[in-house]
Amino acid sequence: MTPPAPNACGMDDRLDTVFAALADPTRRVILAMLLEDDMAVTDVAEPFEMSLAAISKHLAILTRAGLISQEKRGRVKWCKLEPDALRDASIWMQGFGQFEAVNLDAFERFLEAELAAEPPPAPPP
Amino acid sequence: MTPPAPNACGMDDRLDTVFAALADPTRRVILAMLLEDDMAVTDVAEPFEMSLAAISKHLAILTRAGLISQEKRGRVKWCKLEPDALRDASIWMQGFGQFEAVNLDAFERFLEAELAAEPPPAPPP
DNA sequence: GCGATATTCAACCAAACGGTTGACGATGAC
DNA sequence: GTCATCGTCAACCGTTTGGTTGAATATCGC
């Protein structure tokens, strides 16, 4: 069999870091907290029972994955959710990456056609 | 602040294992291979440049995450994609905004339509 | 300048990960 | 029965991960 083209467009490393970042419950909770509002590092750490340094490391991992951005204003560093970084991962999950952009476009057209045809079945509550 | 309810419904451990499983490029390629067809462990391993035992471990991780199932028929163990396991992860990601949850049903119909259109490259029987 | 606050850095630790090799238990072919 | 094939297990190895602590670096308020 042909080698399974593991990194067709360089997106693979990105997916590595994004999925790895999402694999930790602390980091997922942090993302959920940032969904409500931007927060300073100290405030992010406050509800957790671990050291500030540990939270700082988690935030660095989230930043490297592109899932948040950090901006220092004065002596406090503000953390901001960057939900766009989830998009690639979401797209991968739809197509498992191996169906190149061409097919994804086709899939989108397919979805549009479907939505035009049927009334959508009201997603589960 | 209130403790950030890290595991509201017990889905958290599930998400841990699913995202961790997806964080490895080898495993993502395996999932993509299984998207085309069920495969025996040996056939899954064939295109990779690592030992069969390593692939066996990867498959065990994917199985523990619920992303595939394995059924032994005779002396060959068949691996089958279980895309439903992606649903929880997708729903979690959906909480972060603008992307839709994976529409697996639509994606499967799309794949069937595509496979009916083109002659497939004949995966191993 | 001085002390308090905010954050990271550095060194360390235990545990998990991703890989190897070799032995092993099933199963199928003959 | 014998032999090859399929797949896992067990032990090992180096690296990464998730956490700790304590020192260091900015920055703010005074």
Side-chain angles (χ1 to χ4, degrees):
Chain A
M1 184 187 264
T2 68
N7 193 356
C9 54
M11 171 202 288
D12 239 48
D13 310 340
R14 191 57 164 293
L15 287 180
D16 282 6
T17 60
V18 168
F19 281 130
L22 296 179
D24 184 280
T26 299
R27 290 193 288 264
R28 288 198 304 274
V29 170
I30 290 176
L31 291 177
M33 293 164 64
L34 291 177
L35 195 50
E36 302 188 21
D37 227 331
D38 298 0
M39 296 178 78
V41 173
T42 304
D43 294 333
V44 170
E46 194 261 341
F48 295 97
E49 288 174 349
M50 70 181 71
S51 69
L52 186 60
I55 296 293
S56 181
K57 282 190 189 179
H58 280 304
L59 291 172
I61 289 170
L62 289 171
T63 301
R64 242 180 288 128
L67 289 163
I68 68 171
S69 59
Q70 293 182 284
E71 182 199 358
K72 193 164 183 177
R73 279 204 294 270
R75 67 179 159 180
V76 15
K77 203 165 187 177
W78 292 90
C79 305
K80 182 180 185 309
L81 189 65
E82 297 288 349
D84 278 3
L86 285 173
R87 182 178 296 273
D88 282 352
S90 180
I91 289 174
W92 182 88
M93 289 171 94
Q94 292 195 34
F96 290 155
Q98 298 303 290
F99 301 87
E100 317 299 336
V102 178
N103 287 350
L104 278 181
D105 291 345
F107 181 51
E108 278 172 18
R109 286 196 301 275
F110 171 80
L111 279 184
E112 283 166 13
E114 270 219 333
L115 289 177
E118 323 167 23
Chain B
M1 182 187 262
T2 68
N7 192 355
C9 52
M11 171 202 288
D12 240 49
D13 310 340
R14 191 54 162 297
L15 288 180
D16 283 6
T17 59
V18 168
F19 282 130
L22 295 180
D24 185 279
T26 299
R27 289 194 288 264
R28 288 198 304 275
V29 171
I30 290 176
L31 290 177
M33 293 165 65
L34 292 176
L35 194 51
E36 301 187 23
D37 226 332
D38 297 0
M39 296 179 79
V41 172
T42 305
D43 293 333
V44 170
E46 193 263 340
F48 295 96
E49 289 175 349
M50 69 182 73
S51 68
L52 184 61
I55 296 293
S56 182
K57 282 189 189 179
H58 281 303
L59 292 172
I61 289 171
L62 290 171
T63 301
R64 243 181 286 127
L67 288 164
I68 68 170
S69 59
Q70 294 182 285
E71 182 199 359
K72 193 164 184 177
R73 278 204 295 272
R75 68 177 160 178
V76 14
K77 203 167 185 177
W78 291 91
C79 304
K80 182 179 186 308
L81 189 68
E82 297 289 349
D84 278 3
L86 284 174
R87 187 159 282 148
D88 282 352
S90 171
I91 288 173
W92 183 87
M93 292 170 85
Q94 191 186 11
F96 288 89
Q98 42 277 42
F99 1 86
E100 300 144 22
V102 174
N103 192 337
L104 288 171
D105 294 338
F107 185 55
E108 279 170 16
R109 287 196 299 277
F110 168 74
L111 281 184
E112 284 166 13
E114 267 220 333
L115 288 179
E118 320 169 24

